PDB file of all heavy atoms in Angstrom:
ATOM      1  N   LYS A  45     -15.781  10.363   8.905  1.00 93.00           N
ATOM      2  CA  LYS A  45     -17.067  10.981   8.581  1.00 93.00           C
ATOM      3  C   LYS A  45     -17.002  11.708   7.249  1.00 93.00           C
ATOM      4  O   LYS A  45     -17.965  11.725   6.493  1.00 93.00           O
ATOM      5  CB  LYS A  45     -17.479  11.964   9.687  1.00 93.00           C
ATOM      6  CG  LYS A  45     -17.937  11.297  10.955  1.00 93.00           C
ATOM      7  CD  LYS A  45     -18.299  12.332  12.007  1.00 93.00           C
ATOM      8  CE  LYS A  45     -18.681  11.676  13.308  1.00 93.00           C
ATOM      9  NZ  LYS A  45     -18.949  12.669  14.366  1.00 93.00           N
ATOM     10  N   GLY A  46     -15.847  12.270   6.943  1.00 94.00           N
ATOM     11  CA  GLY A  46     -15.674  13.021   5.706  1.00 94.00           C
ATOM     12  C   GLY A  46     -15.572  12.168   4.461  1.00 94.00           C
ATOM     13  O   GLY A  46     -15.795  12.662   3.352  1.00 94.00           O
ATOM     14  N   VAL A  47     -15.210  10.898   4.605  1.00 95.00           N
ATOM     15  CA  VAL A  47     -15.065  10.045   3.421  1.00 95.00           C
ATOM     16  C   VAL A  47     -16.263   9.135   3.180  1.00 95.00           C
ATOM     17  O   VAL A  47     -16.274   8.410   2.183  1.00 95.00           O
ATOM     18  CB  VAL A  47     -13.756   9.207   3.463  1.00 95.00           C
ATOM     19  CG1 VAL A  47     -12.542  10.105   3.379  1.00 95.00           C
ATOM     20  CG2 VAL A  47     -13.701   8.295   4.661  1.00 95.00           C
ATOM     21  N   VAL A  48     -17.249   9.161   4.036  1.00 96.00           N
ATOM     22  CA  VAL A  48     -18.464   8.379   3.782  1.00 96.00           C
ATOM     23  C   VAL A  48     -19.113   8.929   2.515  1.00 96.00           C
ATOM     24  O   VAL A  48     -19.284  10.136   2.352  1.00 96.00           O
ATOM     25  CB  VAL A  48     -19.439   8.445   4.975  1.00 96.00           C
ATOM     26  CG1 VAL A  48     -20.791   7.817   4.613  1.00 96.00           C
ATOM     27  CG2 VAL A  48     -18.846   7.749   6.186  1.00 96.00           C
ATOM     28  N   GLY A  49     -19.421   8.040   1.596  1.00 96.00           N
ATOM     29  CA  GLY A  49     -20.001   8.434   0.318  1.00 96.00           C
ATOM     30  C   GLY A  49     -18.958   8.752  -0.746  1.00 96.00           C
ATOM     31  O   GLY A  49     -19.318   9.096  -1.865  1.00 96.00           O
ATOM     32  N   LYS A  50     -17.666   8.614  -0.400  1.00 96.00           N
ATOM     33  CA  LYS A  50     -16.590   8.904  -1.351  1.00 96.00           C
ATOM     34  C   LYS A  50     -15.767   7.651  -1.604  1.00 96.00           C
ATOM     35  O   LYS A  50     -15.855   6.668  -0.881  1.00 96.00           O
ATOM     36  CB  LYS A  50     -15.699  10.012  -0.809  1.00 96.00           C
ATOM     37  CG  LYS A  50     -16.460  11.301  -0.644  1.00 96.00           C
ATOM     38  CD  LYS A  50     -15.556  12.454  -0.440  1.00 96.00           C
ATOM     39  CE  LYS A  50     -16.420  13.705  -0.489  1.00 96.00           C
ATOM     40  NZ  LYS A  50     -15.944  14.776   0.251  1.00 96.00           N
ATOM     41  N   ARG A  51     -14.931   7.724  -2.648  1.00 97.00           N
ATOM     42  CA  ARG A  51     -14.068   6.597  -2.999  1.00 97.00           C
ATOM     43  C   ARG A  51     -12.946   6.475  -1.988  1.00 97.00           C
ATOM     44  O   ARG A  51     -12.305   7.460  -1.631  1.00 97.00           O
ATOM     45  CB  ARG A  51     -13.494   6.775  -4.393  1.00 97.00           C
ATOM     46  CG  ARG A  51     -14.549   6.622  -5.480  1.00 97.00           C
ATOM     47  CD  ARG A  51     -13.908   6.393  -6.821  1.00 97.00           C
ATOM     48  NE  ARG A  51     -14.527   5.408  -7.670  1.00 97.00           N
ATOM     49  CZ  ARG A  51     -14.847   4.162  -7.381  1.00 97.00           C
ATOM     50  NH1 ARG A  51     -14.635   3.692  -6.212  1.00 97.00           N
ATOM     51  NH2 ARG A  51     -15.399   3.362  -8.265  1.00 97.00           N
ATOM     52  N   VAL A  52     -12.729   5.238  -1.519  1.00 97.00           N
ATOM     53  CA  VAL A  52     -11.677   4.952  -0.554  1.00 97.00           C
ATOM     54  C   VAL A  52     -10.903   3.717  -0.982  1.00 97.00           C
ATOM     55  O   VAL A  52     -11.347   2.944  -1.840  1.00 97.00           O
ATOM     56  CB  VAL A  52     -12.239   4.737   0.878  1.00 97.00           C
ATOM     57  CG1 VAL A  52     -12.895   5.994   1.416  1.00 97.00           C
ATOM     58  CG2 VAL A  52     -13.199   3.559   0.926  1.00 97.00           C
ATOM     59  N   ILE A  53      -9.748   3.566  -0.363  1.00 97.00           N
ATOM     60  CA  ILE A  53      -8.944   2.352  -0.500  1.00 97.00           C
ATOM     61  C   ILE A  53      -8.854   1.743   0.885  1.00 97.00           C
ATOM     62  O   ILE A  53      -8.444   2.419   1.835  1.00 97.00           O
ATOM     63  CB  ILE A  53      -7.536   2.668  -1.024  1.00 97.00           C
ATOM     64  CG1 ILE A  53      -7.622   3.380  -2.370  1.00 97.00           C
ATOM     65  CG2 ILE A  53      -6.697   1.401  -1.112  1.00 97.00           C
ATOM     66  CD1 ILE A  53      -6.326   4.032  -2.804  1.00 97.00           C
ATOM     67  N   VAL A  54      -9.245   0.493   1.002  1.00 97.00           N
ATOM     68  CA  VAL A  54      -9.168  -0.222   2.276  1.00 97.00           C
ATOM     69  C   VAL A  54      -8.084  -1.286   2.136  1.00 97.00           C
ATOM     70  O   VAL A  54      -8.206  -2.188   1.296  1.00 97.00           O
ATOM     71  CB  VAL A  54     -10.518  -0.871   2.650  1.00 97.00           C
ATOM     72  CG1 VAL A  54     -10.410  -1.628   3.959  1.00 97.00           C
ATOM     73  CG2 VAL A  54     -11.620   0.179   2.714  1.00 97.00           C
ATOM     74  N   ARG A  55      -7.031  -1.177   2.918  1.00 97.00           N
ATOM     75  CA  ARG A  55      -5.946  -2.169   2.901  1.00 97.00           C
ATOM     76  C   ARG A  55      -6.194  -3.143   4.045  1.00 97.00           C
ATOM     77  O   ARG A  55      -6.385  -2.746   5.196  1.00 97.00           O
ATOM     78  CB  ARG A  55      -4.603  -1.464   3.065  1.00 97.00           C
ATOM     79  CG  ARG A  55      -3.405  -2.348   3.352  1.00 97.00           C
ATOM     80  CD  ARG A  55      -2.898  -3.182   2.192  1.00 97.00           C
ATOM     81  NE  ARG A  55      -2.635  -2.484   0.971  1.00 97.00           N
ATOM     82  CZ  ARG A  55      -1.444  -2.071   0.562  1.00 97.00           C
ATOM     83  NH1 ARG A  55      -0.386  -2.262   1.314  1.00 97.00           N
ATOM     84  NH2 ARG A  55      -1.319  -1.469  -0.604  1.00 97.00           N
ATOM     85  N   LEU A  56      -6.191  -4.429   3.723  1.00 97.00           N
ATOM     86  CA  LEU A  56      -6.362  -5.461   4.735  1.00 97.00           C
ATOM     87  C   LEU A  56      -4.998  -5.882   5.277  1.00 97.00           C
ATOM     88  O   LEU A  56      -3.963  -5.647   4.647  1.00 97.00           O
ATOM     89  CB  LEU A  56      -7.080  -6.671   4.148  1.00 97.00           C
ATOM     90  CG  LEU A  56      -8.458  -6.425   3.533  1.00 97.00           C
ATOM     91  CD1 LEU A  56      -9.103  -7.744   3.166  1.00 97.00           C
ATOM     92  CD2 LEU A  56      -9.346  -5.622   4.447  1.00 97.00           C
ATOM     93  N   THR A  57      -5.005  -6.549   6.410  1.00 97.00           N
ATOM     94  CA  THR A  57      -3.755  -7.033   7.001  1.00 97.00           C
ATOM     95  C   THR A  57      -3.081  -8.049   6.092  1.00 97.00           C
ATOM     96  O   THR A  57      -1.867  -8.231   6.170  1.00 97.00           O
ATOM     97  CB  THR A  57      -4.007  -7.645   8.386  1.00 97.00           C
ATOM     98  OG1 THR A  57      -5.018  -8.656   8.270  1.00 97.00           O
ATOM     99  CG2 THR A  57      -4.481  -6.585   9.376  1.00 97.00           C
ATOM    100  N   SER A  58      -3.820  -8.663   5.202  1.00 96.00           N
ATOM    101  CA  SER A  58      -3.251  -9.629   4.247  1.00 96.00           C
ATOM    102  C   SER A  58      -2.532  -8.945   3.088  1.00 96.00           C
ATOM    103  O   SER A  58      -1.876  -9.610   2.295  1.00 96.00           O
ATOM    104  CB  SER A  58      -4.363 -10.522   3.690  1.00 96.00           C
ATOM    105  OG  SER A  58      -5.255  -9.741   2.908  1.00 96.00           O
ATOM    106  N   GLY A  59      -2.696  -7.622   2.958  1.00 96.00           N
ATOM    107  CA  GLY A  59      -2.078  -6.890   1.864  1.00 96.00           C
ATOM    108  C   GLY A  59      -2.996  -6.656   0.680  1.00 96.00           C
ATOM    109  O   GLY A  59      -2.645  -5.945  -0.249  1.00 96.00           O
ATOM    110  N   VAL A  60      -4.180  -7.226   0.703  1.00 97.00           N
ATOM    111  CA  VAL A  60      -5.161  -7.047  -0.375  1.00 97.00           C
ATOM    112  C   VAL A  60      -5.841  -5.693  -0.199  1.00 97.00           C
ATOM    113  O   VAL A  60      -6.158  -5.287   0.920  1.00 97.00           O
ATOM    114  CB  VAL A  60      -6.208  -8.185  -0.356  1.00 97.00           C
ATOM    115  CG1 VAL A  60      -7.293  -7.958  -1.395  1.00 97.00           C
ATOM    116  CG2 VAL A  60      -5.527  -9.526  -0.568  1.00 97.00           C
ATOM    117  N   ASP A  61      -6.045  -4.977  -1.310  1.00 97.00           N
ATOM    118  CA  ASP A  61      -6.743  -3.691  -1.284  1.00 97.00           C
ATOM    119  C   ASP A  61      -8.142  -3.852  -1.841  1.00 97.00           C
ATOM    120  O   ASP A  61      -8.347  -4.580  -2.813  1.00 97.00           O
ATOM    121  CB  ASP A  61      -6.021  -2.658  -2.156  1.00 97.00           C
ATOM    122  CG  ASP A  61      -4.715  -2.190  -1.567  1.00 97.00           C
ATOM    123  OD1 ASP A  61      -4.484  -2.394  -0.367  1.00 97.00           O
ATOM    124  OD2 ASP A  61      -3.910  -1.611  -2.320  1.00 97.00           O
ATOM    125  N   TYR A  62      -9.080  -3.133  -1.234  1.00 97.00           N
ATOM    126  CA  TYR A  62     -10.430  -3.019  -1.764  1.00 97.00           C
ATOM    127  C   TYR A  62     -10.677  -1.548  -2.018  1.00 97.00           C
ATOM    128  O   TYR A  62     -10.446  -0.715  -1.151  1.00 97.00           O
ATOM    129  CB  TYR A  62     -11.468  -3.585  -0.788  1.00 97.00           C
ATOM    130  CG  TYR A  62     -11.428  -5.086  -0.735  1.00 97.00           C
ATOM    131  CD1 TYR A  62     -10.590  -5.751   0.150  1.00 97.00           C
ATOM    132  CD2 TYR A  62     -12.203  -5.845  -1.600  1.00 97.00           C
ATOM    133  CE1 TYR A  62     -10.521  -7.129   0.177  1.00 97.00           C
ATOM    134  CE2 TYR A  62     -12.150  -7.234  -1.580  1.00 97.00           C
ATOM    135  CZ  TYR A  62     -11.308  -7.860  -0.683  1.00 97.00           C
ATOM    136  OH  TYR A  62     -11.247  -9.227  -0.673  1.00 97.00           O
ATOM    137  N   ARG A  63     -11.118  -1.247  -3.236  1.00 97.00           N
ATOM    138  CA  ARG A  63     -11.385   0.130  -3.621  1.00 97.00           C
ATOM    139  C   ARG A  63     -12.858   0.239  -3.974  1.00 97.00           C
ATOM    140  O   ARG A  63     -13.374  -0.568  -4.743  1.00 97.00           O
ATOM    141  CB  ARG A  63     -10.532   0.525  -4.828  1.00 97.00           C
ATOM    142  CG  ARG A  63      -9.058   0.469  -4.531  1.00 97.00           C
ATOM    143  CD  ARG A  63      -8.237   0.647  -5.796  1.00 97.00           C
ATOM    144  NE  ARG A  63      -6.833   0.466  -5.485  1.00 97.00           N
ATOM    145  CZ  ARG A  63      -5.907   1.400  -5.662  1.00 97.00           C
ATOM    146  NH1 ARG A  63      -6.239   2.556  -6.175  1.00 97.00           N
ATOM    147  NH2 ARG A  63      -4.661   1.174  -5.333  1.00 97.00           N
ATOM    148  N   GLY A  64     -13.501   1.240  -3.401  1.00 97.00           N
ATOM    149  CA  GLY A  64     -14.907   1.445  -3.683  1.00 97.00           C
ATOM    150  C   GLY A  64     -15.423   2.657  -2.951  1.00 97.00           C
ATOM    151  O   GLY A  64     -14.658   3.433  -2.367  1.00 97.00           O
ATOM    152  N   ILE A  65     -16.724   2.820  -2.987  1.00 97.00           N
ATOM    153  CA  ILE A  65     -17.373   3.943  -2.320  1.00 97.00           C
ATOM    154  C   ILE A  65     -17.765   3.496  -0.922  1.00 97.00           C
ATOM    155  O   ILE A  65     -18.470   2.497  -0.752  1.00 97.00           O
ATOM    156  CB  ILE A  65     -18.601   4.408  -3.116  1.00 97.00           C
ATOM    157  CG1 ILE A  65     -18.158   4.885  -4.508  1.00 97.00           C
ATOM    158  CG2 ILE A  65     -19.349   5.501  -2.367  1.00 97.00           C
ATOM    159  CD1 ILE A  65     -19.283   5.154  -5.460  1.00 97.00           C
ATOM    160  N   LEU A  66     -17.296   4.235   0.079  1.00 98.00           N
ATOM    161  CA  LEU A  66     -17.575   3.897   1.476  1.00 98.00           C
ATOM    162  C   LEU A  66     -19.039   4.194   1.772  1.00 98.00           C
ATOM    163  O   LEU A  66     -19.465   5.348   1.779  1.00 98.00           O
ATOM    164  CB  LEU A  66     -16.661   4.687   2.405  1.00 98.00           C
ATOM    165  CG  LEU A  66     -16.825   4.418   3.890  1.00 98.00           C
ATOM    166  CD1 LEU A  66     -16.518   2.967   4.227  1.00 98.00           C
ATOM    167  CD2 LEU A  66     -15.935   5.347   4.694  1.00 98.00           C
ATOM    168  N   SER A  67     -19.791   3.144   2.002  1.00 97.00           N
ATOM    169  CA  SER A  67     -21.213   3.291   2.288  1.00 97.00           C
ATOM    170  C   SER A  67     -21.432   3.596   3.767  1.00 97.00           C
ATOM    171  O   SER A  67     -22.143   4.531   4.111  1.00 97.00           O
ATOM    172  CB  SER A  67     -21.940   2.014   1.888  1.00 97.00           C
ATOM    173  OG  SER A  67     -23.290   2.097   2.205  1.00 97.00           O
ATOM    174  N   CYS A  68     -20.800   2.802   4.634  1.00 96.00           N
ATOM    175  CA  CYS A  68     -20.917   3.043   6.070  1.00 96.00           C
ATOM    176  C   CYS A  68     -19.865   2.225   6.806  1.00 96.00           C
ATOM    177  O   CYS A  68     -19.252   1.322   6.244  1.00 96.00           O
ATOM    178  CB  CYS A  68     -22.316   2.717   6.585  1.00 96.00           C
ATOM    179  SG  CYS A  68     -22.792   1.001   6.384  1.00 96.00           S
ATOM    180  N   LEU A  69     -19.661   2.590   8.057  1.00 95.00           N
ATOM    181  CA  LEU A  69     -18.772   1.834   8.929  1.00 95.00           C
ATOM    182  C   LEU A  69     -19.224   2.028  10.360  1.00 95.00           C
ATOM    183  O   LEU A  69     -19.985   2.947  10.662  1.00 95.00           O
ATOM    184  CB  LEU A  69     -17.315   2.245   8.739  1.00 95.00           C
ATOM    185  CG  LEU A  69     -16.874   3.597   9.285  1.00 95.00           C
ATOM    186  CD1 LEU A  69     -15.377   3.575   9.496  1.00 95.00           C
ATOM    187  CD2 LEU A  69     -17.220   4.693   8.319  1.00 95.00           C
ATOM    188  N   ASP A  70     -18.755   1.138  11.233  1.00 94.00           N
ATOM    189  CA  ASP A  70     -19.144   1.236  12.637  1.00 94.00           C
ATOM    190  C   ASP A  70     -17.907   1.382  13.514  1.00 94.00           C
ATOM    191  O   ASP A  70     -16.786   1.495  13.017  1.00 94.00           O
ATOM    192  CB  ASP A  70     -20.007   0.041  13.051  1.00 94.00           C
ATOM    193  CG  ASP A  70     -19.281  -1.286  12.996  1.00 94.00           C
ATOM    194  OD1 ASP A  70     -18.039  -1.311  12.868  1.00 94.00           O
ATOM    195  OD2 ASP A  70     -19.962  -2.327  13.090  1.00 94.00           O
ATOM    196  N   GLY A  71     -18.110   1.389  14.811  1.00 91.00           N
ATOM    197  CA  GLY A  71     -17.030   1.578  15.763  1.00 91.00           C
ATOM    198  C   GLY A  71     -16.008   0.456  15.782  1.00 91.00           C
ATOM    199  O   GLY A  71     -14.895   0.624  16.293  1.00 91.00           O
ATOM    200  N   TYR A  72     -16.347  -0.682  15.229  1.00 93.00           N
ATOM    201  CA  TYR A  72     -15.414  -1.809  15.137  1.00 93.00           C
ATOM    202  C   TYR A  72     -14.660  -1.811  13.809  1.00 93.00           C
ATOM    203  O   TYR A  72     -13.936  -2.749  13.509  1.00 93.00           O
ATOM    204  CB  TYR A  72     -16.159  -3.139  15.294  1.00 93.00           C
ATOM    205  CG  TYR A  72     -16.786  -3.300  16.652  1.00 93.00           C
ATOM    206  CD1 TYR A  72     -18.149  -3.105  16.834  1.00 93.00           C
ATOM    207  CD2 TYR A  72     -16.009  -3.634  17.758  1.00 93.00           C
ATOM    208  CE1 TYR A  72     -18.728  -3.241  18.080  1.00 93.00           C
ATOM    209  CE2 TYR A  72     -16.582  -3.779  19.017  1.00 93.00           C
ATOM    210  CZ  TYR A  72     -17.942  -3.576  19.174  1.00 93.00           C
ATOM    211  OH  TYR A  72     -18.507  -3.717  20.411  1.00 93.00           O
ATOM    212  N   MET A  73     -14.868  -0.764  12.998  1.00 92.00           N
ATOM    213  CA  MET A  73     -14.268  -0.632  11.673  1.00 92.00           C
ATOM    214  C   MET A  73     -14.822  -1.660  10.685  1.00 92.00           C
ATOM    215  O   MET A  73     -14.171  -1.961   9.686  1.00 92.00           O
ATOM    216  CB  MET A  73     -12.736  -0.716  11.718  1.00 92.00           C
ATOM    217  CG  MET A  73     -12.102   0.441  12.448  1.00 92.00           C
ATOM    218  SD  MET A  73     -12.322   2.016  11.614  1.00 92.00           S
ATOM    219  CE  MET A  73     -11.225   1.789  10.265  1.00 92.00           C
ATOM    220  N   ASN A  74     -15.990  -2.226  10.971  1.00 97.00           N
ATOM    221  CA  ASN A  74     -16.680  -3.022   9.965  1.00 97.00           C
ATOM    222  C   ASN A  74     -17.096  -2.058   8.865  1.00 97.00           C
ATOM    223  O   ASN A  74     -17.606  -0.968   9.146  1.00 97.00           O
ATOM    224  CB  ASN A  74     -17.913  -3.714  10.551  1.00 97.00           C
ATOM    225  CG  ASN A  74     -17.535  -4.740  11.597  1.00 97.00           C
ATOM    226  OD1 ASN A  74     -16.584  -5.490  11.430  1.00 97.00           O
ATOM    227  ND2 ASN A  74     -18.278  -4.761  12.693  1.00 97.00           N
ATOM    228  N   ILE A  75     -16.864  -2.434   7.615  1.00 97.00           N
ATOM    229  CA  ILE A  75     -16.999  -1.498   6.506  1.00 97.00           C
ATOM    230  C   ILE A  75     -17.937  -2.069   5.451  1.00 97.00           C
ATOM    231  O   ILE A  75     -17.867  -3.256   5.130  1.00 97.00           O
ATOM    232  CB  ILE A  75     -15.612  -1.249   5.864  1.00 97.00           C
ATOM    233  CG1 ILE A  75     -14.699  -0.568   6.879  1.00 97.00           C
ATOM    234  CG2 ILE A  75     -15.718  -0.438   4.592  1.00 97.00           C
ATOM    235  CD1 ILE A  75     -13.265  -0.506   6.440  1.00 97.00           C
ATOM    236  N   ALA A  76     -18.778  -1.213   4.896  1.00 98.00           N
ATOM    237  CA  ALA A  76     -19.603  -1.561   3.736  1.00 98.00           C
ATOM    238  C   ALA A  76     -19.147  -0.681   2.574  1.00 98.00           C
ATOM    239  O   ALA A  76     -19.093   0.544   2.699  1.00 98.00           O
ATOM    240  CB  ALA A  76     -21.080  -1.333   4.035  1.00 98.00           C
ATOM    241  N   LEU A  77     -18.795  -1.326   1.461  1.00 98.00           N
ATOM    242  CA  LEU A  77     -18.367  -0.623   0.248  1.00 98.00           C
ATOM    243  C   LEU A  77     -19.329  -0.914  -0.890  1.00 98.00           C
ATOM    244  O   LEU A  77     -19.891  -2.005  -0.967  1.00 98.00           O
ATOM    245  CB  LEU A  77     -16.967  -1.071  -0.180  1.00 98.00           C
ATOM    246  CG  LEU A  77     -15.784  -0.736   0.713  1.00 98.00           C
ATOM    247  CD1 LEU A  77     -14.511  -1.363   0.160  1.00 98.00           C
ATOM    248  CD2 LEU A  77     -15.609   0.752   0.850  1.00 98.00           C
ATOM    249  N   GLU A  78     -19.493   0.049  -1.786  1.00 98.00           N
ATOM    250  CA  GLU A  78     -20.268  -0.129  -3.007  1.00 98.00           C
ATOM    251  C   GLU A  78     -19.317  -0.010  -4.195  1.00 98.00           C
ATOM    252  O   GLU A  78     -18.267   0.626  -4.089  1.00 98.00           O
ATOM    253  CB  GLU A  78     -21.356   0.949  -3.107  1.00 98.00           C
ATOM    254  CG  GLU A  78     -22.348   0.913  -1.965  1.00 98.00           C
ATOM    255  CD  GLU A  78     -23.295   2.109  -1.972  1.00 98.00           C
ATOM    256  OE1 GLU A  78     -23.054   3.076  -2.721  1.00 98.00           O
ATOM    257  OE2 GLU A  78     -24.269   2.067  -1.211  1.00 98.00           O
ATOM    258  N   GLN A  79     -19.682  -0.598  -5.315  1.00 97.00           N
ATOM    259  CA  GLN A  79     -18.875  -0.560  -6.541  1.00 97.00           C
ATOM    260  C   GLN A  79     -17.424  -0.944  -6.228  1.00 97.00           C
ATOM    261  O   GLN A  79     -16.476  -0.238  -6.559  1.00 97.00           O
ATOM    262  CB  GLN A  79     -18.923   0.826  -7.194  1.00 97.00           C
ATOM    263  CG  GLN A  79     -20.317   1.273  -7.548  1.00 97.00           C
ATOM    264  CD  GLN A  79     -20.360   2.707  -8.045  1.00 97.00           C
ATOM    265  OE1 GLN A  79     -19.338   3.256  -8.452  1.00 97.00           O
ATOM    266  NE2 GLN A  79     -21.525   3.313  -7.991  1.00 97.00           N
ATOM    267  N   THR A  80     -17.268  -2.089  -5.601  1.00 98.00           N
ATOM    268  CA  THR A  80     -15.981  -2.501  -5.044  1.00 98.00           C
ATOM    269  C   THR A  80     -15.136  -3.278  -6.042  1.00 98.00           C
ATOM    270  O   THR A  80     -15.635  -4.122  -6.771  1.00 98.00           O
ATOM    271  CB  THR A  80     -16.233  -3.391  -3.811  1.00 98.00           C
ATOM    272  OG1 THR A  80     -17.143  -2.714  -2.936  1.00 98.00           O
ATOM    273  CG2 THR A  80     -14.945  -3.679  -3.072  1.00 98.00           C
TER     274      THR A  80
END
Side-chain angles (χ1 to χ4, degrees):
K45 287 179 183 176
V47 294
V48 171
K50 297 194 172 152
R51 290 197 139 308
V52 296
I53 302 166
V54 179
R55 168 73 52 98
L56 302 187
T57 54
S58 66
V60 176
D61 289 343
Y62 287 89
R63 298 171 185 240
I65 298 170
L66 181 62
S67 177
C68 62
L69 73 158
D70 65 13
Y72 296 102
M73 294 294 288
N74 295 318
I75 296 170
L77 293 176
E78 299 172 348
Q79 302 173 19
T80 309

